[in-house]
Amino acid sequence: MPINDREKDAGGRSGVTTLLERAAAAAVRAEDRLCGAIEDVFLADDARLDDRTRLGMTRLLAQLTGAVEATLRRHAARLLIARDEAALADRVSAPALPIIGRLIASGLLRDPEVMRELLGRIRQDAIADALPTSAPDDPERSSLLPRLLHHANPAVGAGAAALLAAESRRRLSGPDGTSSSSDLPAELQHRLVWWSAAAVRTDLPDAAGATTSALDRALAEAAQHVIAAHHERDRLEAVALQLAVALDPTPADRARLLMEALLDRRLSLCIALIAQGLGLDYADTREIVLDPSGDRLWLTLRAIDLDRATIARFGLSLAEADPRRDIDGFADTLNDIAEIDCVAARHALAPLLLHRDYRAALTAFARGTRRTSAVRGAPA
């Protein structure tokens, strides 16, 4: 209870200020909700995420940021202890709210390349889990990867073992951040690490002077440690592509391997086999395979000289796993797809074979040219 009017007035002013700040924050949140609602109303149905994909993205983001945050805090705390900054080390390693909230609020996670990679991974896993399986012609035959372990080519055997290990690592990394790696491409991993280091730093705002310098130095070195420990070649996607390169199949062998991998629900190997056959990047090929329209996929499958029966089985399996696909439309166009010459298909796909950064630069340049032309042509 205030003991005089001055204390009462000070307390009243403080309370009023707090209420005003909360009201202003509430107004900002209301505006954000309205903007989000407007975006949702006008979002095209084919661009809208289903509940499973949305939940998968939430969990994956929590897992990846949690893993990086835990490693950053742990390593930074060790560095601070070694530098006689035990109190600061305790603050860095103390339990705190996960940084994912800060990263989302900052807008950094809206990065298109990061979202492209994560959405691709979520959708690939969802379709792989839903793929139909059927007994092979020989019921005693083991699945594809275990057989490839004993392949005559040692590179194939090593690639199969590496893919099995990569699948196990990805499957066992949970949402609690226990995984030591984000399993992202190197460039995206670097972004996530530096964003996370900045988020951890803003979680400790009252550091000052020499303490600030020590904290910043420790977090920067911890980030460099995490980046140095990341091995892109061990990623599941990279390993699958390495195995496809080691196999180097003929068109007939590729058709057989694709169907076996499909029956085993190893969609990553299917994508890698297609990518290797055409010389495409894994991420670009994944995008083509997962696109529910299928228009680019059928062209891609003809470009690697797959026959009608293989394309039919591949398309039907994907349609059964992904309800967004038009199975009747696919059946109606199957004959037309099979008649496409593989050389003509490759020619049509030629722009996709260019380096992604070069394609992006060409697109940006064309967009800028059109914008400049429009401005010059506008009436004065």
Side-chain angles (χ1 to χ4, degrees):
M1 172 177 281
I3 58 176
N4 55 49
D5 290 341
R6 179 176 297 178
E7 184 177 345
K8 181 178 179 180
D9 290 343
R13 286 195 298 272
S14 175
V16 169
T17 301
T18 300
L19 285 173
L20 290 173
E21 290 173 349
R22 287 167 54 187
V28 172
R29 290 196 301 272
E31 186 68 22
D32 289 342
R33 285 196 297 271
L34 176 60
C35 291
I38 292 172
E39 288 183 13
D40 188 68
V41 167
F42 294 104
L43 193 64
D45 288 341
D46 60 357
R48 196 179 300 276
L49 294 182
D50 58 85
D51 290 341
R52 178 176 179 178
T53 302
R54 188 184 300 276
L55 179 60
M57 282 292 291
T58 301
R59 288 177 173 173
L60 183 56
L61 282 169
Q63 172 200 323
L64 297 183
T65 57
V68 172
E69 178 185 6
T71 307
L72 281 173
R73 288 184 181 274
R74 186 168 56 249
H75 193 73
R78 283 202 298 265
L79 290 173
L80 289 167
I81 289 173
R83 294 164 185 172
D84 296 326
E85 295 281 0
L88 190 53
D90 289 341
R91 290 182 57 203
V92 169
S93 57
L97 290 175
I99 60 170
I100 185 170
R102 291 178 179 273
L103 290 172
I104 292 174
S106 72
L108 290 171
L109 291 180
R110 290 177 177 265
D111 183 281
E113 292 183 46
V114 172
M115 288 296 103
R116 180 177 187 256
E117 176 64 28
L118 300 187
L119 278 172
R121 186 189 298 189
I122 291 293
R123 286 171 169 153
Q124 176 182 310
D125 290 346
I127 291 177
D129 290 343
L131 282 171
T133 58
S134 60
D137 297 334
D138 180 0
E140 296 184 358
R141 184 183 62 183
S142 62
S143 59
L144 179 60
L145 283 187
R147 290 205 326 275
L148 291 180
L149 290 173
H150 309 289
H151 196 278
N153 182 349
V156 172
L163 184 53
L164 285 169
E167 288 179 341
S168 178
R169 284 195 303 271
R170 172 100 29 114
R171 189 167 53 249
L172 293 176
S173 58
D176 57 354
T178 53
S179 171
S180 61
S181 171
S182 71
D183 212 19
L184 287 172
E187 183 178 349
L188 303 186
Q189 160 79 358
H190 296 174
R191 293 183 202 176
L192 181 62
V193 170
W194 289 118
W195 294 343
S196 299
V200 171
R201 174 64 182 83
T202 59
D203 193 39
L204 305 165
D206 55 339
T211 302
T212 300
S213 178
L215 176 59
D216 286 335
R217 189 168 65 254
L219 284 172
E221 290 182 27
Q224 291 172 316
H225 167 80
V226 175
I227 288 171
H230 180 69
H231 299 295
E232 187 175 20
R233 66 180 180 274
D234 295 332
R235 296 180 61 239
L236 186 149
E237 293 80 6
V239 170
L241 195 52
Q242 290 164 12
L243 176 56
V245 170
L247 285 165
D248 192 21
T250 63
D253 286 339
R254 181 175 288 108
R256 175 183 57 81
L257 290 167
L258 272 172
M259 290 303 99
E260 288 198 62
L262 207 62
L263 287 175
D264 290 346
R265 292 179 168 173
R266 287 196 158 92
L267 191 55
S268 61
L269 183 54
C270 291
I271 293 170
L273 287 165
I274 296 170
Q276 183 273 336
L278 199 55
L280 268 177
D281 175 81
Y282 183 98
D284 286 336
T285 308
R286 177 178 60 196
E287 190 171 279
I288 290 171
V289 172
L290 300 184
D291 183 356
S293 74
D295 295 330
R296 293 179 298 170
L297 176 58
W298 316 136
L299 200 60
T300 301
L301 296 184
R302 281 302 299 136
I304 56 176
D305 204 16
L306 293 185
D307 57 35
R308 182 185 187 280
T310 302
I311 294 174
R313 292 173 64 189
F314 198 84
L316 290 173
S317 294
L318 289 178
E320 190 168 336
D322 186 355
R324 299 175 300 165
R325 293 177 183 265
D326 180 7
I327 189 169
D328 293 329
F330 170 62
D332 291 341
T333 58
L334 182 56
N335 288 332
D336 293 337
I337 294 168
E339 289 178 6
I340 298 173
D341 179 72
C342 62
V343 175
R346 277 184 171 269
H347 181 73
L349 290 171
L352 272 177
L353 302 179
L354 299 173
H355 193 281
R356 185 190 301 172
D357 290 343
Y358 181 57
R359 297 200 316 267
L362 288 174
T363 301
F365 187 83
R367 187 183 298 118
T369 301
R370 288 195 300 270
R371 187 181 300 115
T372 301
S373 299
V375 170
R376 286 176 178 171

